Amino acid sequence: MSLPTQPTTPSVILTGDRPTGPLHLGHFVGSLRNRVAYQHDYQQFIMLADAQALTDNMDDTGKVHRNVVEVALDYLAVGIDPSKSTILIQSQIPELAELTFYYLNIVTVARLERNPTVKEEIRLRGFERDIPAGFLTYPASQAADITAFKAALVPVGEDQIPMIEQTNEIVRRFNRVADRDILVECKALVPEIGRLPGIDGKAKMSKSLGNTINLGATADEIRAAVKKVYTDPLHLRVQDPGHIEGNVAFTYLDAFDLDQAGLAEMKAHYQRGGLGDSIVKARLEACLQELLAPIRARREELAKDRGYIMQILKEGTLKAREVAARTADEVKAALGLSYF
Amino acid sequence: MSLPTQPTTPSVILTGDRPTGPLHLGHFVGSLRNRVAYQHDYQQFIMLADAQALTDNMDDTGKVHRNVVEVALDYLAVGIDPSKSTILIQSQIPELAELTFYYLNIVTVARLERNPTVKEEIRLRGFERDIPAGFLTYPASQAADITAFKAALVPVGEDQIPMIEQTNEIVRRFNRVADRDILVECKALVPEIGRLPGIDGKAKMSKSLGNTINLGATADEIRAAVKKVYTDPLHLRVQDPGHIEGNVAFTYLDAFDLDQAGLAEMKAHYQRGGLGDSIVKARLEACLQELLAPIRARREELAKDRGYIMQILKEGTLKAREVAARTADEVKAALGLSYF
């Protein structure tokens, strides 16, 4: 009879958000819901990427500051447990900037320019020739964030996979320079349910597109948003057959309705005709009110004690900083930058 | 009767070297000699730019590490007084990387690419398309080094003036974002005696050109080097008139001979003919032996106590870090990145 094997150290996950606005249902489906699940089985670091958020918010630095607390409230409200997940503020860990600095020596300008995510973001933000240097070098900063915590898994959308590849290139290159495996390669953890469309039917729910339902939305805001949800533009009369594909009301129901059998019946009815959008939307509204009411209540409760939120952020940041500082020390020692 | 005015705080100077090899007579004339003078009237920070040196030494990180101590020995041997000047190791001050990180957001890629010093160094090092990103972003790092200490004066050669201009652009841009004068603009302090030529007559004395006389050179090494000093290639026979211009022996004598009247006579004799190079070189060798003997002796004495050197570097770095951390705090607070 053999002894049971020792439990292995849980894998490290690095995830986070740019704190530029309140989180919404898109974040809930794409990441928050998963984080609540992951925190039981993984060592999860959740980063409030405030320093990163400045790359295109230097004209409104107050926005980033305010949203650090707002996003932290969203985290706690959806069930991220600070005793299981480590929530940290990026700017309060100078070692992340240090690692970025060193990684910039092992990535070429040409390679950064070829990064498809960087290319696309440059296009989206309309930077053209006047790209802030911090934007071009963003992959080195992301590599610093991931490797500082020796994360093995990084939850990202499909579009972010090139960033993960670039991080791993930096890891391999650095480990070759160091002549030992100091940094850890990571894997993208792409969620099964991808991106949630906006209420207007656009591919992405996004604050800048104004098509979101925020996690802290009031009952009235939810009601008003559901009224605007994009359905089937060809479904003009109740008795006509309706389309499910591209019908955001049904996409949301797929994501949130706990009674999937009842939903299947409703879809069939809608498709053969005789079911008005208002009935579908009433079901959707009920779902969303039920989902968001407890989140909103927790959020409001938590918001009353800002000191408690700051305490959580401080403790998480201190804990994370210890880990990052250890990595930075290893990195610097491997580069011969260790003296005292 | 009015009271005497309060003495004003002495201006801050930031200077330093990339520790990639022992310092030589070129450094002595171009910077070390001035630093020994400046330290009485200015608050002088002297940076061992080891992190910077890695941008093009990732293949030999041990070299940078070793030369940190070697260069510190050179500093102390020539008379830099650690009780007057603060000697610091760049890599041990993470706040310098932090400031670099934020400055990268206020400088565009296009602006970095236009920097003439960066352009020239890229050409010299043969990087072409494969420029390490850290090389392109080097001006932001230099701005971080200068502004961290709120340096008002930066001793540089003519060729580095564009770097100072770029630093001041970053300072102004940052102060506009911050809406108050947190960072200090600096002035280039260009030395009166410019660059010392190499012993081979090339414009610059440089380790990579192999045309140096190191500060720690032995008496034999000095003798051998003087023998190779480039003089007047047209001065073939003793009785011929010789040329002074471009004659490195005389350039060195101009820089180091304490008896300038005697030197003037020798020059006149050389120009009218009848004076052999060997006489000139004997004078030069005597000068250099006299200059370097006490420096070499102090260097050898200091080298015996590595612990003492490390103590000086540690104390200087700690003192410098306090100043840099204060600036980084101010910078982050101005960007809204201050929480606890």
Side-chain angles (χ1 to χ4, degrees):
Chain A
M1 199 187 90
S2 66
L3 288 168
T5 53
Q6 285 287 334
T8 53
T9 319
S11 288
V12 176
I13 287 182
L14 185 276
T15 178
D17 297 281
R18 291 162 52 103
T20 53
L23 302 188
H24 50 62
L25 283 180
H27 296 107
F28 186 79
V29 168
S31 61
L32 296 175
R33 203 156 60 165
N34 300 329
R35 291 180 196 169
V36 173
Y38 295 149
Q39 66 186 345
H40 302 288
D41 301 316
Y42 297 93
Q43 194 190 347
Q44 182 167 249
F45 291 90
I46 307 178
M47 185 173 75
L48 292 158
D50 61 341
Q52 192 54 63
L54 285 184
T55 44
D56 55 345
N57 285 284
M58 287 297 277
D59 54 340
D60 188 4
T61 57
K63 180 172 84 177
V64 175
H65 182 91
R66 280 190 309 279
N67 280 297
V68 161
V69 176
E70 293 303 313
V71 172
L73 281 170
D74 287 331
Y75 287 169
L76 300 175
V78 299
I80 287 171
D81 177 350
S83 76
K84 292 192 195 304
S85 295
T86 306
I87 305 173
L88 61 119
I89 304 180
Q90 187 189 30
S91 68
Q92 305 305 295
I93 304 185
E95 289 78 7
L96 299 176
E98 258 193 305
L99 291 172
T100 304
F101 187 95
Y102 294 112
Y103 296 168
L104 287 176
N105 290 340
I106 53 177
V107 60
T108 65
V109 174
R111 179 64 185 87
L112 290 171
E113 285 170 347
R114 278 201 309 274
N115 185 307
T117 314
V118 171
K119 269 189 183 164
E120 174 62 8
E121 299 268 339
I122 285 170
R123 196 190 62 76
L124 277 177
R125 286 174 171 74
F127 282 138
E128 290 165 21
R129 288 303 295 154
D130 282 339
I131 316 158
F135 211 86
L136 181 67
T137 60
Y138 159 51
S141 165
Q142 192 165 66
D145 299 334
I146 293 169
T147 57
F149 304 106
K150 304 206 169 174
L153 295 168
V154 185
V156 289
E158 290 278 0
D159 57 329
Q160 295 286 317
I161 289 179
M163 299 298 271
I164 302 298
E165 284 166 3
Q166 183 141 33
T167 291
N168 285 337
E169 278 178 36
I170 289 174
V171 166
R172 288 190 293 267
R173 176 88 206 278
F174 180 83
N175 287 345
R176 267 204 309 279
V177 169
D179 205 20
R180 56 188 187 280
D181 286 349
I182 289 175
L183 301 181
V184 174
E185 286 194 56
C186 61
K187 281 201 174 67
L189 196 61
V190 181
E192 281 174 51
I193 299 181
R195 210 171 244 181
L196 204 66
I199 60 171
D200 56 359
K202 292 220 174 87
K204 189 180 177 182
M205 184 177 276
S206 152
K207 182 173 45 71
S208 56
L209 298 174
N211 60 6
T212 68
I213 299 177
N214 291 340
L215 295 177
T218 63
D220 284 349
E221 285 167 345
I222 295 167
R223 190 169 309 120
V226 170
K227 280 215 179 89
K228 288 195 275 179
V229 160
Y230 179 87
T231 55
D232 174 4
L234 304 174
H235 188 229
L236 299 173
R237 294 175 309 175
V238 172
Q239 62 267 38
D240 288 344
H243 294 85
I244 302 293
E245 301 73 30
N247 185 322
V248 175
F250 282 105
T251 310
Y252 287 4
L253 282 165
D254 280 336
F256 301 113
D257 197 329
L258 300 176
D259 173 14
Q260 290 283 317
L263 175 59
E265 270 177 44
M266 180 178 261
K267 282 182 182 175
H269 191 175
Y270 190 79
Q271 284 173 310
R272 72 177 177 263
L275 185 65
D277 279 5
S278 61
I279 309 288
V280 179
K281 287 194 168 182
R283 185 180 180 110
L284 174 61
E285 197 206 322
C287 267
L288 295 182
Q289 296 287 12
E290 195 182 330
L291 172 74
L292 293 176
I295 293 174
R296 182 174 61 240
R298 272 198 300 276
R299 207 183 184 289
E300 281 169 4
E301 194 55 34
L302 288 158
K304 287 178 194 160
D305 191 355
R306 194 187 150 94
Y308 170 71
I309 305 297
M310 294 318 287
Q311 189 56 32
I312 285 172
L313 293 178
K314 191 171 181 176
E315 283 170 13
T317 300
L318 279 177
K319 186 179 160 195
R321 186 168 182 185
E322 275 176 36
V323 178
R326 215 150 46 225
T327 305
D329 280 349
E330 287 179 273
V331 162
K332 287 200 283 179
L335 296 176
L337 305 178
S338 203
Y339 304 92
F340 307 127
Chain B
M1 202 185 90
S2 67
L3 289 168
T5 53
Q6 286 287 334
T8 53
T9 319
S11 289
V12 175
I13 287 182
L14 185 275
T15 178
D17 296 282
R18 289 161 53 103
T20 53
L23 302 189
H24 50 63
L25 283 182
H27 296 106
F28 186 79
V29 167
S31 61
L32 296 174
R33 203 155 60 165
N34 300 329
R35 292 180 196 168
V36 173
Y38 295 150
Q39 67 186 344
H40 301 289
D41 300 316
Y42 297 93
Q43 194 190 347
Q44 183 168 247
F45 291 90
I46 307 179
M47 186 172 75
L48 291 157
D50 60 341
Q52 191 55 61
L54 286 184
T55 44
D56 55 345
N57 285 284
M58 286 300 275
D59 54 340
D60 188 3
T61 57
K63 180 173 84 177
V64 175
H65 181 90
R66 281 190 310 280
N67 280 297
V68 161
V69 177
E70 294 302 313
V71 172
L73 281 170
D74 287 331
Y75 287 168
L76 300 175
V78 298
I80 286 171
D81 177 351
S83 75
K84 292 193 195 302
S85 294
T86 306
I87 305 173
L88 61 119
I89 304 179
Q90 186 188 31
S91 68
Q92 306 304 297
I93 304 186
E95 290 78 8
L96 299 175
E98 258 193 304
L99 290 172
T100 304
F101 187 96
Y102 294 113
Y103 296 169
L104 286 176
N105 290 339
I106 52 177
V107 60
T108 65
V109 173
R111 179 64 184 86
L112 290 170
E113 285 170 346
R114 276 200 311 273
N115 185 307
T117 315
V118 170
K119 270 189 183 164
E120 173 62 8
E121 300 268 339
I122 285 170
R123 195 190 62 77
L124 277 176
R125 286 174 171 73
F127 282 138
E128 289 165 21
R129 287 304 296 153
D130 282 339
I131 315 157
F135 210 86
L136 181 67
T137 59
Y138 159 50
S141 165
Q142 192 165 66
D145 299 335
I146 294 169
T147 57
F149 304 106
K150 305 206 168 174
L153 295 168
V154 185
V156 289
E158 290 278 0
D159 57 328
Q160 296 286 317
I161 289 179
M163 299 297 270
I164 302 299
E165 283 166 2
Q166 184 143 32
T167 292
N168 285 338
E169 278 178 35
I170 289 174
V171 166
R172 287 191 292 268
R173 177 86 206 281
F174 180 83
N175 287 345
R176 267 203 307 280
V177 168
D179 206 19
R180 57 190 186 278
D181 286 350
I182 289 175
L183 302 179
V184 174
E185 286 194 56
C186 62
K187 280 199 177 68
L189 196 60
V190 181
E192 280 173 52
I193 299 180
R195 211 171 243 180
L196 204 66
I199 61 171
D200 56 0
K202 291 220 174 85
K204 190 180 176 180
M205 184 177 275
S206 152
K207 182 173 45 69
S208 56
L209 298 173
N211 61 5
T212 68
I213 299 177
N214 291 340
L215 295 178
T218 63
D220 284 348
E221 286 167 346
I222 295 167
R223 191 170 309 120
V226 170
K227 279 215 182 89
K228 289 195 276 178
V229 159
Y230 180 87
T231 54
D232 175 3
L234 304 174
H235 188 229
L236 300 173
R237 294 176 306 173
V238 172
Q239 60 268 38
D240 290 342
H243 294 86
I244 302 293
E245 302 72 32
N247 186 320
V248 176
F250 283 105
T251 311
Y252 288 3
L253 282 166
D254 280 336
F256 301 114
D257 197 330
L258 299 175
D259 173 13
Q260 291 283 317
L263 176 59
E265 270 176 45
M266 180 178 262
K267 282 182 183 173
H269 191 174
Y270 190 80
Q271 283 172 310
R272 70 178 178 263
L275 185 67
D277 280 4
S278 62
I279 309 288
V280 179
K281 287 195 168 180
R283 184 179 180 111
L284 174 61
E285 196 205 321
C287 266
L288 294 182
Q289 296 287 9
E290 195 183 328
L291 173 74
L292 293 176
I295 292 175
R296 182 173 61 242
R298 272 198 301 273
R299 206 182 184 290
E300 282 169 4
E301 193 54 37
L302 288 159
K304 287 178 193 158
D305 190 354
R306 195 187 149 92
Y308 171 71
I309 306 295
M310 295 317 289
Q311 189 57 32
I312 285 173
L313 292 178
K314 191 171 181 177
E315 283 170 14
T317 299
L318 278 176
K319 186 178 158 194
R321 185 169 182 185
E322 275 175 36
V323 178
R326 216 151 44 224
T327 304
D329 281 348
E330 286 179 90
V331 161
K332 288 200 283 179
L335 296 177
L337 305 177
S338 201
Y339 303 93
F340 307 127

